[in-house]
Amino acid sequence: MPETRTRRRGVELEKAILDAAWAELNDVGYARLTIESVAARAGTSKPVIYRRWPNRAELVLAAWGSRAPVRPPSPDTGSLRGDLVILFTKIARRVDGMMNEMIAGVMTETFRHPEVAALMRDRLVNAPFGKVVGTVLQRAVERGEHPPVELTHRAGRLPIDLIRNEALINGGSITDETIAELVDQVYLPLLRGLARD
Amino acid sequence: MPETRTRRRGVELEKAILDAAWAELNDVGYARLTIESVAARAGTSKPVIYRRWPNRAELVLAAWGSRAPVRPPSPDTGSLRGDLVILFTKIARRVDGMMNEMIAGVMTETFRHPEVAALMRDRLVNAPFGKVVGTVLQRAVERGEHPPVELTHRAGRLPIDLIRNEALINGGSITDETIAELVDQVYLPLLRGLARD
DNA sequence: CCACAGAAGAAACTCGCCGTATCTAACAGC
DNA sequence: GCTGTTAGATACGGCGAGTTTCTTCTGTGG
């Protein structure tokens, strides 16, 4: 049976479309991603896509979501600063390149299609890096390297916010220097300041 | 002589266009702003606009730039926290509403028209709020309210970055609570941390 | 094995907007 | 006035969003 199946359906087809969308994002970026190009790449046609997602923004969000969130392992370099640099770098790689353009692009369409706004916000606020800071920090406390800290929600989210902000502004990749600046000039001082309560 | 001038030219016309673009940004936002709508509003036509700016993004940046940067007066409430809250609020109002959408929108087109990227970056990094933090802080030091601080470039820019980030994510206005969180959970602790060197 | 419902895929269409090209009429400077 | 410049009107080509229509496949239930 040479598996003469020519038409995919259901989950299989859906996955093919999301993969194609993801590939397009990587190849040409959000601004140049068209529904037609995704359809062509997936070997299907526009209506098939529109039957599933109402517009470009939601398709892209779905493609984004279809990639597993990759809960990052908490690094353990033996020093708080080392752990933080690694953590920031991991976040940067994830946010890097296409990601920032996508966020900006989807953000814009948010105003054409307000339903998308909520989706987007959830995705950003619930990014999976929040708790890792807590872990890393706790280890530093146990090592006696750092006084105990009441890590507020804002402070926990800050690494992601800093990196995303940087990526959005710079458009390009985030250098190691930038990461060092963020860790040394902002995040470590903040943690020290939080410790005095 | 009733000044029967019907056609504006040069600077006068240019200003009319920029004003119209600004008004459109306020009324309908970046996503729905079209060159045609700006032309109509300015009482002129598309080619006149295209003779001056090569695309939407640059027109909008020009309109943005044509509004005076409004160097904010440093507040003096008698307490560092009070001053910071006012400062953050001022930034928020300036970044508010349309501003964030515009930034996101222009950002997206940055990838279609790479020349725009540099313009945008300058505009964001040279935002006029940076030095005010220094002033506010110095007064707190003179009052003996706060230990002296070596304010790094990153730390000085942080308020703007925090607010912009918040505006971009939330889409809507920034509440007083958010500002209080940013000041109390992030910026004041950071300043305290920076002071211990 | 067949029929039928439902979904895939192809194609064509509307619409809005971008950016350009063409034309004419007003204006400014001499 | 004469002349070069530029505003403003109009129309056009192109692209991509989102929709509609129609045909063709496919798997399920009888």
Side-chain angles (χ1 to χ4, degrees):
Chain A
M1 309 297 85
E3 201 67 18
T4 352
R5 271 264 250 55
T6 64
R7 284 193 184 178
R8 297 151 301 179
R9 345 181 97 217
V11 195
E12 181 191 0
L13 179 56
E14 186 158 324
K15 184 176 181 322
I17 295 172
L18 291 176
D19 288 350
W22 185 256
E24 279 293 295
L25 275 174
N26 277 291
D27 281 7
V28 303
Y30 185 86
R32 288 191 224 267
L33 175 149
T34 71
I35 300 285
E36 247 150 353
S37 68
V38 173
R41 185 163 205 150
T44 181
S45 63
K46 286 202 291 176
V48 176
I49 294 180
Y50 279 110
R51 265 169 219 141
R52 292 176 161 73
W53 300 276
N55 52 55
R56 209 164 59 126
E58 298 215 17
L59 168 61
V60 167
L61 280 178
W64 184 14
S66 76
R67 305 275 127 175
V70 188
R71 174 149 214 79
S74 339
D76 194 348
T77 64
S79 86
L80 176 56
R81 183 180 185 283
D83 284 1
L84 285 179
V85 167
I86 291 204
L87 184 62
F88 274 63
T89 307
K90 279 224 178 84
I91 299 176
R93 275 206 222 311
R94 184 152 165 63
V95 168
D96 218 355
M98 147 216 84
M99 207 49 96
N100 53 50
E101 191 214 346
M102 194 196 74
I103 293 176
V106 173
M107 207 85 78
T108 309
E109 299 201 40
T110 270
F111 296 80
R112 261 190 245 262
H113 308 282
E115 327 79 64
V116 180
L119 283 177
M120 183 72 188
R121 209 166 311 151
D122 284 5
R123 210 56 78 70
L124 287 177
V125 172
N126 297 332
F129 292 92
K131 295 182 183 141
V132 182
V133 180
T135 316
V136 162
L137 191 50
Q138 186 162 358
R139 268 204 306 265
V141 172
E142 281 161 10
R143 278 196 301 263
E145 187 188 352
H146 201 275
V149 166
E150 170 105 20
L151 195 64
T152 59
H153 176 237
R154 285 269 163 211
R157 262 181 50 192
L158 194 62
I160 309 164
D161 288 339
L162 288 175
I163 296 281
R164 188 188 322 114
N165 180 62
E166 204 59 30
L168 280 172
I169 285 189
N170 270 328
S173 321
I174 298 174
T175 66
D176 291 348
E177 273 122 17
T178 302
I179 288 182
E181 278 180 33
L182 291 176
V183 169
D184 293 326
Q185 294 182 23
V186 177
Y187 208 62
L188 277 173
L190 169 61
L191 290 179
R192 261 182 287 149
L194 280 173
R196 314 225 263 130
D197 275 334
Chain B
M1 306 308 88
E3 201 67 20
T4 352
R5 271 266 251 54
T6 64
R7 283 194 184 176
R8 300 151 297 178
R9 344 181 99 216
V11 195
E12 181 191 0
L13 178 57
E14 186 157 325
K15 185 176 180 322
I17 295 171
L18 291 176
D19 288 350
W22 185 256
E24 279 292 295
L25 276 174
N26 277 291
D27 282 8
V28 304
Y30 184 86
R32 286 191 226 268
L33 175 149
T34 71
I35 300 284
E36 246 149 354
S37 68
V38 173
R41 185 162 205 152
T44 181
S45 63
K46 287 199 294 174
V48 176
I49 295 181
Y50 277 110
R51 266 170 220 141
R52 292 177 162 72
W53 299 276
N55 53 55
R56 211 163 59 127
E58 298 215 16
L59 168 62
V60 167
L61 280 177
W64 184 15
S66 75
R67 305 275 128 175
V70 188
R71 175 151 212 77
S74 340
D76 194 349
T77 64
S79 86
L80 177 57
R81 184 181 185 282
D83 284 0
L84 285 178
V85 167
I86 292 203
L87 184 61
F88 274 63
T89 308
K90 279 222 178 84
I91 299 177
R93 274 205 225 313
R94 184 150 164 64
V95 168
D96 220 353
M98 147 216 84
M99 206 51 93
N100 53 50
E101 191 214 347
M102 195 196 74
I103 292 175
V106 173
M107 208 85 77
T108 310
E109 300 203 37
T110 269
F111 295 81
R112 259 191 247 260
H113 308 281
E115 327 79 67
V116 181
L119 283 176
M120 184 73 187
R121 211 167 307 151
D122 285 4
R123 212 56 79 69
L124 287 177
V125 173
N126 298 330
F129 292 93
K131 300 190 179 129
V132 182
V133 180
T135 315
V136 161
L137 192 51
Q138 186 162 1
R139 268 206 307 268
V141 172
E142 281 160 10
R143 276 195 302 263
E145 187 188 354
H146 200 275
V149 167
E150 171 106 18
L151 195 64
T152 59
H153 176 237
R154 286 270 162 208
R157 264 180 50 191
L158 194 63
I160 309 164
D161 289 339
L162 288 174
I163 296 283
R164 187 185 328 111
N165 179 63
E166 204 60 31
L168 280 171
I169 286 189
N170 271 327
S173 325
I174 297 172
T175 66
D176 291 349
E177 267 149 350
T178 302
I179 288 182
E181 279 180 32
L182 290 176
V183 169
D184 293 327
Q185 294 183 23
V186 177
Y187 209 61
L188 276 174
L190 169 61
L191 291 179
R192 260 182 287 150
L194 280 173
R196 311 227 260 127
D197 275 332

